[in-house]
Amino acid sequence: LNAAPGRAPRQQVRFLPAPAPGGGGAVELVAARVPVLADHPLVRGPRFKKLKIGAGHRLDVKASGVFVLGIGHGNKLLTDLYNCHLTKVYTVGGLFGKATDDFSDTGNLVEKTTFDHITREKLERILAVIQGTNQKALLMYSNVDMKTQEAYELAVKGLIRPMGKSPPIITAVRCLQFALPEFQLEIHCLHETQQYLRKMVHEIGLELKSSAVCTHVRRIRDGVFTVDDALPRTQWNLQGIQEAIRNCQLKVETELEKTL
Amino acid sequence: RRALGGAAGPPSTRQRREAEEAAPVFQYAGKAAKRKDRVFVWGFSYSGALGVPSFVRPDASWKKPRRIQATPYRLETEEKISSAACGYGFTLLASSTRDITKVWGMGLNKDSQLGFQRSRRDQTKGYEYVLEPSPIPLPLEKPQQTRVLQVSCGRAHSLVLTDSEGVFTMGNNSYGQCGRKVVEDEIYSESHLIHQLKEFDSRVVQVVCGQDHSLFRTKKGTVYACGWGADGQTGLGHYNITSVPTKLHGDIAGVNIIQVSSYGDCCLAVSDEGEVFGWGNSEYLQLASVTESTQVNVPRHLPFKIGKVKEAACGGTGNLVLTEEGNVFVWGYGILGKGPNLTETAVPEMIPPSLFGWSDFNPDIRVAHVRCGLSQFAALTNRGELFVWGKNLRGCLGTGRMEDQYFPWRVTVPGEVVDVACGVDHMVSMVRSF
């Protein structure tokens, strides 16, 4: 970054003595544009000594996926994005038949159960109930008075969302794959942690009268940033980062304008 | 000194895997696990209509009586309940079994709407309030063959429909709503009288109780009525009481009616072609689309252009219809379900399907059934979710809150809701467990 051509040095107007035309002796003041010596790169040193990088929503060690970072002035945009309360989308993979103490497949085994009675229909029924109860929580934590006409209108459009602190809420769940004993879900949620998603997989197992552990959690969308915008490890260099910032700038601005 | 036994410490991956494979496997539900049928009740409990005696008379002295049960509470029943009906402070539960006891009742019994319930303290008297589901003795000719198809409850009377022995009526008969001649100064409490009605042109397939009148729908598609008629709710062309079930004419003569509904003083009927007919009280604009008068005593066709109607439900002041596409239309007066601004309309207004859970994520959610209480509405979706809205009288909506609900709100029930019956201040639902 420091090698890139920096800002041109500031110019200032100074009156400099210059020899007057026609004979020596008298000195005249002539205005001339002269670069300010304080801006010279040799005086100031490299432009960037350290960079402030801020992180967006947390992603814990065992999970993977989209992770939003803000650099320098972008940190202010990070707080604005946090206040937008946009949903995040995860793909969660689970395995029936086991229950562990930390709800993932690397924990200590607690119990093993049978799972051959589970069908895709039963799983989808449980997912419908989860969506229903979370819908109620969505309306309750959105701090809108239920008796007003605007509450009704927001509920019709589906725009009611908690705009403050709230416990984790799941707005939509869908079963992507189902092959006993494995299954994969797509979850849209707000204010959650990855451990909460693993706990939910465990609870789905309990509801189906069996047990389940979570094999992997992957965030595929965080507000406006999707997996397509995310930079893979091979592109963690200056050009990649600059291009990514340029591509996302427009999207971030429109989203912030829409919500705030 | 050497440590005794093997080396302790965190087990390696291979040891852990072996330990896991050796662990015992528990079975909680086999492949043929059946889904159980349950009954959930909620609402005002002091009348005994919820059937849980510990709400009214707690079994321990330190417990306080529960006046209102605001969220669904499971009711233990001996048999699988196939039909339930809520009246004004009492409930009837019926099972389609061949055993001798087919119908249970609980709640108010001051007019013997639950039959005669012999008091255990004094064998000559009967109970005025029945706190637990108690069997109702029906005078059947073949008690071990007849099945009860459906029950219905009004303000102070009830109807029981059987498959081969007609309709049994009990309760208050001061307006002839039980289908028998009105006896002056008859005392209805502690009465053993249960009347049987058999004279219809064909087998009765649906019985509906209004506030003080009764409607019978037969297999041929005709409708009979008896009871109070001052608002024209008997639809017989006059405003007097009728004590014998009489056939209705008017706009429904010759039309094959597939469903009738009533709870207050207004009645709605749906024909097989999806047309809606109404008669009775119209003080709340229920029939204002065809007439300005406030009482209509002859069935009139309601020309709504909303599509083919599948089911109708009539409440005290508002009406609800469900079309074939799964849309819900509401009209009348009261909390209609479209926010606090819409309190009365004479023309049906559609409730947006997004309020019932429809979205781009779930595009195949449809409303399957609609039911009405006196000032509440209930809708069941095809996924088994129950939505309620309306006046929350003594917690009857089951949402857990005491405030009125101005748009459809989910009721959290642990299971798939199969059917729901709405009363004035309580509701009963039949639920299948997951």
Side-chain angles (χ1 to χ4, degrees), chain A residues 31 107 143 166 204 232 257:
Chain A
N143 274 341
S166 88
I204 290 176
E257 267 178 40

Side-chain angles (χ1 to χ4, degrees), chain B residues 161-180:
Chain B
L161 172 67
T162 59
D163 56 353
S164 51
E165 295 198 32
V167 182
F168 290 91
T169 66
M170 45 205 173
N172 191 307
N173 194 39
S174 30
Y175 304 108
Q177 60 265 48
C178 285
R180 56 188 166 92

Side-chain angles (χ1 to χ4, degrees), chain A residues 111-114 129 136 147 156, chain B residues 20 26 28 340 354 412 434:
Chain A
E111 193 181 53
K112 268 169 52 165
T113 57
T114 59
V129 168
K136 265 179 78 165
K147 294 199 174 157
V156 171
Chain B
E20 270 185 26
F26 292 94
Y28 288 110
S354 57
T412 323
F434 294 126

Side-chain angles (χ1 to χ4, degrees), chain B residues 222-234:
Chain B
T222 54
V223 180
Y224 287 73
C226 64
W228 202 39
D231 274 333
Q233 59 263 56
T234 46

Side-chain angles (χ1 to χ4, degrees), chain B residues 268-285:
Chain B
L268 282 184
V270 178
S271 74
D272 54 353
E273 287 170 13
E275 300 293 328
V276 184
F277 300 83
W279 64 98
N281 190 358
S282 179
E283 284 167 15
Y284 303 101
L285 308 178

Side-chain angles (χ1 to χ4, degrees), chain A residues 98 106 111-114 116-117 125 129 131-132 135-136 139 146-149 152 156 172 188 209, chain B residues 16 20 25-31 35 338 340-341 354-355 361-362 401 407 409-410 412 416 434:
Chain A
K98 250 170 51 161
T106 49
E111 193 181 53
K112 268 169 52 165
T113 57
T114 59
D116 46 357
H117 61 276
R125 234 181 273 143
V129 168
Q131 278 193 73
Q135 195 78 7
K136 265 179 78 165
L139 294 176
M146 285 298 139
K147 294 199 174 157
T148 54
Q149 184 69 16
Y152 165 71
V156 171
H188 296 233
K209 300 190 181 73
Chain B
R16 216 162 48 150
E20 270 185 26
V25 179
F26 292 94
Q27 184 181 46
Y28 288 110
K31 264 200 155 154
R35 297 170 70 185
K338 290 192 74 164
N341 287 0
S354 57
L355 288 174
F361 225 65
N362 300 319
R401 294 154 66 213
F407 56 90
W409 185 266
R410 246 183 206 89
T412 323
E416 193 185 314
F434 294 126

